[in-house]
Amino acid sequence: MARHSGGRGWYGKIVGAALGVVLLATGASVWTAQAGATDEPSPRKPSVPSVPSGKLKPVEDTIVHASDAGKRGVNITIDDGPDPKWTPQMLDLLRQYKVKATFCMVGTQAQAHPDLVKKVVAAGHRLCDHSVSHNTAMDKESAAYRKKQILDAERMITKASGGVRPMYYRAPGGAFTPDSRKLAASRGMRPLGWNVDSKDFELPGTNAIVSTVQRELANGPTVLFHDAGGERGQTVEALRQLLPWMKQQGYSFGFPVR
């Protein structure tokens, strides 16, 4: 999700106490859509939507924004879940409009709702590591802390999915660091940015979310939505309007390049 305030995100507040003992025992800048490297591969045709566990294939550690669906491609990315109320509704909409998305999952949420993780994978969507506790100030923490957040979330998501590994890593609030990008890439997870922040996290109203995405889509293909972290009815209704609108405008849907 976008970094809307400093310090720990909402997950940090909810599960911080529970995770604190674990993180201590094991030793544990705001990034905008245009930040990061721009030397991304040329767009290509969409590929297989998920990667089973097995031999790791390192990927580039630059932050990706481009779509594998070409110049009129759009990457729908959905953060912070899975959530038992909102994720199924979004999956229904994506299925209705035949759209594939990338779900950036928080480790504790994936661990709590493995059935939903499996449903996401079964529907052909891709998984993304979004850390264990969604600390939007991860870039201010130690390298050991970042490593544990990334690797523990990767294990949680992979286990919950039944063996399908995350293909991307999105730092909470975009709090990437060189070491976190390199670590994720070494695990086969491409660092994932965004071009359009729908601002749905701020609950501005469905019309505002729709207007923001329609206005800013020219900035690039990767659009940020949320399926957890609070009330997401506005996001569901915004997607109900935006998905057919994007198709009418000649956009196609793909995944971030790897």
Side-chain angles (χ1 to χ4, degrees):
M1 58 169 271
R3 185 185 295 180
H4 299 290
S5 60
R8 294 180 182 272
W10 66 280
Y11 274 103
K13 295 177 182 178
I14 295 175
V15 302
L19 290 172
V21 174
V22 177
L23 293 175
L24 287 173
T26 51
S29 36
V30 175
W31 175 83
T32 64
Q34 286 72 37
T38 57
D39 54 341
E40 298 165 353
S42 300
R44 55 185 172 79
K45 294 182 179 180
S47 56
V48 178
S50 61
V51 172
S53 57
K55 185 177 180 180
L56 294 173
K57 294 183 179 180
V59 294
E60 292 187 37
D61 65 5
T62 51
I63 298 171
V64 66
H65 303 86
S67 176
D68 64 7
K71 293 182 179 179
R72 295 289 286 178
V74 172
N75 303 324
I76 301 295
T77 66
I78 302 174
D79 285 19
D80 297 357
D83 179 271
K85 181 175 182 178
W86 305 113
T87 304
Q89 294 184 49
M90 294 186 187
L91 285 173
D92 286 345
L93 281 174
L94 293 168
R95 180 173 60 252
Q96 178 182 347
Y97 292 104
K98 297 180 173 59
V99 173
K100 303 303 181 186
T102 300
F103 284 78
C104 299
M105 296 185 175
V106 172
T108 51
Q109 289 295 103
Q111 187 175 55
H113 306 290
D115 56 326
L116 291 178
V117 182
K118 291 180 176 68
K119 286 182 179 179
V120 167
V121 171
H125 306 295
R126 287 185 178 180
L127 302 176
C128 172
D129 180 332
H130 202 34
S131 83
V132 173
S133 57
H134 201 274
N135 180 357
T136 59
M138 275 182 63
D139 54 341
K140 309 301 181 186
E141 305 284 355
S142 69
Y145 174 90
R146 289 190 289 272
K147 180 177 181 179
K148 181 169 179 57
Q149 284 279 315
I150 294 169
L151 297 185
D152 282 2
E154 180 192 7
R155 284 190 288 270
M156 289 176 177
I157 295 167
T158 302
K159 182 178 180 180
S161 73
V164 178
R165 299 179 54 256
M167 298 182 70
Y168 308 92
Y169 166 65
R170 174 175 276 168
F176 288 101
T177 60
D179 63 282
S180 69
R181 290 190 290 104
K182 290 179 181 178
L183 173 63
S186 74
R187 301 289 301 174
M189 298 184 292
R190 183 74 184 268
L192 176 60
W194 64 83
N195 304 99
V196 181
D197 184 351
S198 69
K199 303 294 185 182
D200 62 339
F201 192 81
E202 299 175 1
L203 300 178
T206 297
N207 290 340
I209 296 170
V210 170
S211 295
T212 295
V213 174
Q214 290 178 337
R215 181 178 64 252
E216 298 186 9
L217 194 54
N219 293 338
T222 302
V223 188
L224 171 62
F225 297 101
H226 297 84
D227 63 345
E231 166 67 39
R232 292 290 165 252
Q234 294 178 10
T235 305
V236 171
E237 292 308 312
L239 283 170
R240 197 184 307 278
Q241 297 180 38
L242 284 166
L243 295 179
W245 175 83
M246 289 175 180
K247 288 194 170 186
Q248 291 168 4
Q249 299 301 309
Y251 290 102
S252 56
F253 297 92
F255 294 110
V257 298
R258 297 242 309 151

